[in-house]
Amino acid sequence: MPPGPGSGAGRSEFRGLFEVLRNEVSCAYAARVTRPRALIFGVSGQDGPWVARDLGNAGYEVFGTHLTQLPPDGVVTRSVALDLMDEQVDVRGLIERVAPRIIVFLAGRSSVAESWKDPAGTMTVNAASYARILDAVRDIDPTIRVVHASSSEMYGDTEGIIDESTSLRPNSPYAESKAVAHRLGVEARERNGMNISNAILTNHESVRRPLPYVFRRISVGAAALALGLIDELVLGDLDVIRDWGHAPDYAQAMALMALAPEPDDFVIATGVSVSLRDVVASALACVGLDDRWDLIALNPALARSGSSYPVWANPDRIGRTLGWKAHDAATSVISIMVTHDTEVLSDQGRRSDVLLRLG
């Protein structure tokens, strides 16, 4: 089992990375690397491996941090266990020793529902730790390019289509923490001339998304229904409307932002919003259970409080500026995930753990 956050083993691994880097670099800061380096905070999450892949393909040597779960093999040169709740962690020292030209901040808490249980912790991880990173970058080398994974949740129940000019209206601890970090980046760029960009991400999903996030719950549930492993799939509010994209597409957008010559803020979205009801219908159709709504049960307790507002987003600006466009929207993403989860659940060795987490 990997060392827990803040554990002695985790701290030892952190110090160990410093020693390795200290031994391999002995020149001045600007001259001590042959390939440009990127540092991804939170490289083992849903988006991190794909951002690492894209930056690696662009010629960067990629380093990362993780909490407890190691990134997939071959994703980064090295990754170190790092708990951003621990204010004693030497973030400045890590940046000095890695000497990155690019930093991507993907670390933090991403669940709106969980943020209500620990608002202070959510603010610490998502905003205060990011502020420490910005302080370090300002002092070490303000030309380092930083990309922050922001969120469309910052706009709350805004009516109409959101874009980069839409006013922020956060309505959850998670959204508040993202709004604070977002504004910190904007201020650092405008006041101090730092190279900070915000990727304003709408919901995005993939086979790396863990349960109990609703998209993964739907994909696993549809596969389990088709295989006769469960009798019904229990969900919450199916009338929620969101712009759901595919995580590899969104990772590509963040990599493009990191490689862009000028910093900027961009809405990352597909431009197509659908309801969860549409997603469930597509998932059932993928496994030959078209219109089998008798297999779907609703439990209001699973509905996320305060999320009934629709989200419509306009990604045109990043398309015009960086040439990015999403390849997959919600219905094709759920098809990819259902196909994957059907294969996983067909393997008896992996089946029990997945079904246990489905509940």
Side-chain angles (χ1 to χ4, degrees):
M1 179 178 294
S7 68
R11 292 176 186 274
S12 176
E13 182 184 352
F14 187 74
R15 290 193 297 270
L17 175 64
F18 276 12
E19 291 303 319
V20 170
L21 290 170
R22 184 179 291 115
N23 290 336
E24 74 174 22
V25 293
S26 58
C27 302
Y29 176 83
R32 57 184 168 180
V33 293
T34 55
R35 290 173 61 197
R37 288 178 170 180
L39 174 59
I40 301 175
F41 286 88
V43 73
S44 62
Q46 175 181 241
D47 301 342
W50 285 302
V51 176
R53 175 202 62 188
D54 291 339
L55 291 178
N57 289 341
Y60 281 76
E61 184 179 14
V62 183
F63 292 74
T65 76
H66 61 274
L67 185 56
T68 56
Q69 179 183 353
L70 288 167
D73 291 342
V75 167
V76 294
T77 298
R78 293 186 186 89
S79 183
V80 58
L82 184 69
D83 182 6
L84 292 174
M85 284 289 288
D86 183 358
E87 296 184 2
Q88 301 305 311
V89 166
D90 188 9
V91 171
R92 184 182 300 266
L94 177 62
I95 294 172
E96 286 178 336
R97 288 167 173 80
V98 173
R101 297 308 309 146
I102 288 173
I103 290 175
V104 182
F105 186 78
L106 305 176
R109 300 180 180 180
S110 59
S111 170
V112 173
E114 291 298 314
S115 75
W116 287 105
K117 300 177 183 178
D118 184 14
T122 300
M123 187 65 73
T124 295
V125 174
N126 290 0
S129 65
Y130 180 60
R132 295 202 304 273
I133 291 169
L134 292 183
D135 285 348
V137 170
R138 180 197 60 209
D139 295 342
I140 296 168
D141 182 356
T143 69
I144 295 173
R145 284 174 280 179
V146 179
V147 176
H148 168 252
S150 195
S151 172
S152 62
E153 288 288 337
M154 300 184 302
Y155 300 107
D157 58 355
T158 296
E159 295 183 2
I161 300 174
I162 62 173
D163 61 21
E164 294 80 3
S165 65
T166 304
S167 298
L168 305 186
R169 297 179 58 179
N171 61 357
S172 71
Y174 169 77
E176 289 282 3
S177 70
K178 283 296 187 179
V180 169
H182 180 96
R183 292 187 181 109
L184 285 171
V186 172
E187 287 295 322
R189 183 176 68 224
E190 296 180 352
R191 184 182 297 269
N192 300 322
M194 294 173 65
N195 199 324
I196 313 295
S197 298
N198 286 301
I200 306 166
L201 309 165
T202 62
N203 297 65
H204 50 291
E205 311 297 331
S206 74
V207 297
R208 290 185 53 80
R209 175 68 86 184
L211 286 163
Y213 285 85
V214 67
F215 231 78
R216 194 64 191 279
R217 185 176 183 84
I218 291 170
S219 68
V220 170
L225 286 170
L227 294 170
L229 301 176
I230 59 174
D231 297 324
E232 64 178 12
L233 172 60
V234 183
L235 298 169
D237 183 4
L238 298 187
D239 295 322
V240 171
I241 295 175
R242 292 288 185 273
D243 184 323
W244 281 284
H246 200 199
D249 289 345
Y250 284 38
Q252 181 192 51
M254 287 187 278
L256 286 172
M257 291 173 63
L259 297 168
E262 298 294 333
D264 210 339
D265 302 333
F266 294 106
V267 168
I268 313 301
T270 70
V272 178
S273 294
V274 300
S275 71
L276 269 182
R277 192 175 302 277
D278 296 324
V279 174
V280 172
S282 295
L284 292 175
C286 285
V287 292
L289 297 175
D290 308 59
D291 300 321
R292 288 296 307 275
W293 291 102
D294 57 300
L295 300 174
I296 306 299
L298 299 182
N299 180 356
L302 295 179
R304 200 179 85 192
S305 176
S307 66
S308 59
Y309 53 86
V311 174
W312 308 85
N314 179 6
D316 287 353
R317 190 160 175 269
I318 190 172
R320 294 193 307 269
T321 307
L322 301 181
W324 178 85
K325 183 178 181 180
H327 294 99
D328 295 298
T331 53
S332 57
V333 174
I334 197 64
S335 176
I336 293 168
M337 294 172 65
V338 169
T339 300
H340 171 271
D341 288 331
T342 300
E343 179 180 341
V344 170
L345 291 179
S346 296
D347 181 345
Q348 292 189 6
R350 294 188 286 175
R351 177 184 298 172
S352 59
D353 179 57
V354 175
L355 292 178
L356 180 64
R357 285 181 283 129
L358 179 62

